[in-house]
Amino acid sequence: MTVQSATPGAAAKELARREHTTSQRIQHLLHQHPALSPAIILLLTVVCFTIVNSRFSNPAALSLLVQQTAVVAALAVGQTLIILTAGIDLSVGAIAILSMMVTATLAAENGWPAGLALAAGLVLGLAAGVLNGLLVTRIGLPPFIVTLGTLSIFTALALLYSGGQSIQNNRLPALLNWTGEGFAIGRFRVTTGVLIVIGLYVVVGFALSQTSWGRHVYAVGDDPEAARLSGVRSRRVLFSVYAVAGLIYGIAGWTLIGRAGAASPNAIVDANLESITAVVIGGTSLFGGRGGLLGTLLGALIVQAFTIGLSLAGVDAQYRLLAVGVLVIVAVSVDQWIRKVRS
Amino acid sequence: MTATINQPGDTALQVPILSARGLVKTFGRVIGLDGVDLDLFPGEVLAVIGDNGAGKSTLIKCLTGALIPDAGQLTLEQAPITFRGPQDARAAGIETVYQTLAVAPALDIASNLYLGREERRPGLLGNVFRMLDHRGMRDRAAAAVRELGIQTIQNIQQTVETLSGGQRQAVAVARAAAFGSKVVVLDEPTAALGVKESNQVLDMIKGLRERGLPVILISHNMPHVWEVADRIHIQRLGRCAGVITPDSHTMTEGVAIMTGAANLEDNTST
């Protein structure tokens, strides 16, 4: 050691070789595992709320947590795909509602067979996504503007088509209510809707991490021009993301019927912002190319955990909004910090 | 008159791997290329120099499919060829390293090497589930990087954003050279680099030549061009002002031809 530091330049070498500081190590860890920070936050949330009120972590409350998360979690799958490409989707809720109202109306009013009505709703969701995708990739409009416009258009269409009337589940066929059907796993209660959403996460998660399409989604979000020059058909990938997201919103609409016990054109008004909140708290970067579905699922659970936890603690429900707001700011700040990582 | 003349004796006997004849490209009233010829011979480093607006980038874009020439003929391995886009040129074996590097910062080195040409797993997992062969691509990427003698890259799973400028350039060059390509085109590879990193890139270019891979190098940096190039194609005002070698002309003479202060006939006839 002493001999080395005597030679010129050795001091700098020693300095360069010194151990990473704790903060650098944390930065690295979070950089490599984007789902780690939401996982820690969720764990802390559950522990804290359990200390405040032990009923929080009993099976009934946890089952409720999962069931209440399901619809937003489903919407957030599509939202994650779009945010990974550095876009944003404000029409998530509107597409889900439009798809759901068309399915419910066709089945309850027009006497379509349940399967056919459901298929029509899902195709409509896909078509709505295709419209968003065409406007973004062919006309080259910013995703924010496109989906701000289609948010109004699809909301209006849903209200016009349904006449602003809800359709209660007793008028709907069994297939459409199926997503609300519950069964017990041990002491937990799960609905088919929850299982469908878990299935969505598995399938889309697989596609994102294990297929070239998934690699290309990340690459396009990271740097679309670099992806194009590397031989990725950027526009086609971007278009496919919007189309797939539309179909996912349609499926989310189906799970919403089961969750709400009715098809109502005024349901989930906060869905747009809640899905974006889940994605952002989940560690996916709004600048694209970074993040993943696991984080989004955790993010969606965190938001619901605050809702249930604060109400069990007997705190004014408005504090939930406050807490979620703080979390969003913290999550985006952490993302900015992580992006500055150096080897 | 300004077409390619005085080939060095050894290349005159060889057959060019890539050649262009009478390339014309106009942008409205602006003439980008005014009938340019170019030959690239096997195993050589051909530098393309020229002032801003002389048509170097236009020429390179026509060779790599990024632009479609209005007139003229491209020949690859003696067969006429046309490109509709960069993918076509790539499929034909012409790999380009762009000035902007065209790497995805958040993806790791292996993913970047295979971006746009990912390999699937064999059997059911690959065919039906379209599952990627992550480990295989990682191993082959590591081998490709090793083969090019790039020692600075330690971990193939590092994300590109954590690399230095020289290392990113190395990744881009490795990607261009790693897939059985026939021609590698480097656009200003040392423009953004320091002295040490530039030398590493120049060594890599020499390494490509040793492996027999022909290279087209676009550069503003004359010392770098004179260090690695076998022949130098000088673009001026949309035309080829001549092809020289580092031995036949000094750097000053080269710059004089490039700026129009001298022309090749004057220099060679005396």
Side-chain angles (χ1 to χ4, degrees):
Chain A
M1 281 308 247
T2 44
V3 182
Q4 268 188 352
S5 56
T7 57
K13 265 185 196 160
E14 281 297 312
L15 280 175
R17 217 181 300 150
R18 94 197 125 160
E19 294 284 296
H20 286 294
T21 62
T22 315
S23 108
Q24 276 174 323
R25 272 204 217 113
I26 294 172
Q27 194 183 18
H28 253 276
L29 206 61
L30 294 182
H31 186 258
Q32 281 176 329
H33 308 282
L36 201 59
S37 30
I40 294 168
I41 294 174
L42 181 61
L43 196 69
L44 286 177
T45 312
V46 171
V47 169
C48 289
F49 282 127
T50 307
I51 293 171
V52 174
N53 188 335
S54 60
R55 273 167 59 208
F56 181 82
S57 55
N58 74 21
L62 289 180
S63 304
L64 185 67
L65 169 65
V66 171
Q67 287 177 30
Q68 285 193 347
T69 310
V71 175
V72 168
L75 294 172
V77 173
Q79 188 71 263
T80 306
L81 289 176
I82 287 171
I83 291 183
L84 277 177
T85 66
I88 194 121
D89 193 345
L90 302 177
S91 65
V92 270
I95 294 178
I97 302 253
L98 178 60
S99 159
M100 174 181 78
M101 288 320 293
V102 168
T103 298
T105 309
L106 287 178
E109 311 275 346
N110 302 18
W112 283 36
L116 207 58
L118 180 61
L122 295 182
V123 168
L124 189 70
L126 180 70
V130 164
L131 177 66
N132 279 341
L134 284 176
L135 291 170
V136 168
T137 58
R138 293 290 145 186
I139 307 191
L141 301 176
F144 183 91
I145 300 301
V146 167
T147 56
L148 184 65
T150 52
L151 160 66
S152 301
I153 294 170
F154 296 144
T155 305
L157 287 178
L159 285 168
L160 289 170
Y161 185 76
S162 64
Q165 298 297 307
S166 299
I167 299 170
Q168 293 303 314
N169 55 4
N170 54 15
R171 293 181 55 207
L172 292 172
L175 177 67
L176 300 187
N177 291 321
W178 184 61
T179 52
E181 232 159 82
F183 53 92
I185 299 179
R187 294 167 60 205
F188 293 92
R189 265 198 91 65
V190 188
T191 60
T192 20
V194 168
L195 295 185
I196 289 172
V197 174
I198 292 173
L200 263 183
Y201 272 84
V202 171
V203 171
V204 180
F206 176 88
L208 267 183
S209 65
Q210 300 298 329
T211 69
S212 354
W213 179 77
R215 293 284 82 184
H216 295 173
V217 169
Y218 279 93
V220 166
D222 211 5
D223 188 337
E225 186 58 15
R228 192 184 70 83
L229 291 172
S230 302
V232 174
R233 291 163 192 239
S234 293
R235 278 213 299 193
R236 190 182 289 190
V237 172
L238 203 54
F239 174 75
S240 73
V241 162
Y242 281 90
V244 168
L247 180 62
I248 292 171
Y249 303 149
I251 296 171
W254 182 29
T255 64
L256 179 59
I257 297 178
R259 176 66 209 149
S264 161
N266 302 310
I268 53 168
V269 278
D270 297 330
N272 296 327
L273 295 179
E274 279 186 13
S275 69
I276 295 169
T277 304
V279 174
V280 169
I281 292 179
T284 295
S285 171
L286 284 170
F287 303 97
R290 192 184 319 265
L293 274 185
L294 181 58
T296 298
L297 182 59
L298 295 169
L301 285 168
I302 290 169
V303 174
Q304 277 310 316
F306 268 89
T307 310
I308 296 178
L310 288 175
S311 83
L312 280 177
V315 180
D316 190 330
Q318 302 306 329
Y319 279 99
R320 170 213 167 235
L321 210 56
L322 190 99
V324 169
V326 171
L327 262 183
V328 168
I329 304 280
V330 169
V332 177
S333 309
V334 168
D335 174 51
Q336 286 286 18
W337 178 58
I338 293 171
R339 287 167 73 89
K340 293 193 188 107
V341 77
R342 283 280 164 272
S343 62
Chain B
M1 265 346 234
T2 49
T4 311
I5 39 173
N6 75 321
Q7 300 277 343
D10 56 331
T11 53
L13 298 169
Q14 286 185 323
V15 180
I17 183 157
L18 174 71
S19 64
R21 286 289 170 270
L23 288 186
V24 174
K25 179 72 190 172
T26 57
F27 306 95
R29 284 159 186 266
V30 178
I31 297 169
L33 291 181
D34 187 9
V36 175
D37 296 352
L38 178 140
D39 286 303
L40 178 70
F41 293 96
E44 75 165 346
V45 176
L46 174 70
V48 175
I49 62 173
D51 217 343
N52 289 340
K56 348 184 252 308
S57 348
T58 311
L59 173 61
I60 292 317
K61 283 180 178 161
C62 288
L63 295 178
T64 57
L67 284 176
I68 299 162
D70 301 330
Q73 180 61 55
L74 286 178
T75 318
L76 183 67
E77 291 179 321
Q78 294 179 279
I81 191 162
T82 53
F83 303 133
R84 281 162 303 162
Q87 279 99 336
D88 285 358
R90 230 176 145 200
I94 299 176
E95 287 282 343
T96 313
V97 178
Y98 297 92
Q99 203 170 349
T100 51
L101 291 185
V103 287
L107 295 184
D108 64 22
I109 296 169
S111 299
N112 262 291
L113 280 177
Y114 278 92
L115 190 56
R117 54 184 149 209
E118 289 84 356
E119 285 171 13
R120 294 203 200 118
R121 286 212 197 176
L124 204 68
L125 286 174
N127 294 335
V128 179
F129 294 103
R130 319 217 136 217
M131 217 167 152
L132 291 177
D133 183 9
H134 283 297
R135 183 179 297 172
M137 288 195 287
R138 216 153 52 217
D139 293 346
R140 285 188 289 278
V145 166
R146 243 194 339 268
E147 200 182 316
L148 281 169
I150 304 165
Q151 302 93 349
T152 53
I153 292 170
Q154 305 291 334
N155 179 4
I156 205 80
Q157 282 174 277
Q158 235 176 310
T159 56
V160 165
E161 67 200 334
T162 63
L163 300 177
S164 70
Q167 289 173 320
R168 288 184 197 202
Q169 191 79 51
V171 169
V173 173
R175 181 171 69 188
F179 293 93
S181 49
K182 293 168 185 161
V183 174
V184 174
V185 179
L186 299 166
D187 188 5
E188 298 277 7
T190 57
L193 301 182
V195 175
K196 194 180 156 206
E197 294 192 318
S198 292
N199 285 334
Q200 287 171 353
V201 169
L202 293 178
D203 285 342
M204 253 162 43
I205 296 173
K206 290 172 190 165
L208 294 182
R209 175 172 52 198
E210 273 161 33
R211 290 173 56 199
L213 204 55
V215 174
I216 297 179
L217 167 72
I218 298 96
S219 186
H220 266 112
N221 189 312
M222 297 305 145
H224 291 167
V225 167
W226 256 259
E227 185 184 337
V228 296
D230 295 305
R231 294 185 308 129
I232 302 161
H233 171 114
I234 305 174
Q235 270 296 123
R236 177 171 157 67
L237 302 175
R239 290 163 174 265
C240 174
V243 179
I244 62 174
T245 73
D247 297 328
S248 70
H249 292 72
T250 66
M251 230 179 277
T252 323
E253 288 165 349
V255 172
I257 297 169
M258 191 176 108
T259 56
N263 57 55
L264 194 57
E265 285 82 354
D266 293 349
N267 277 319
T268 47
S269 58
T270 51

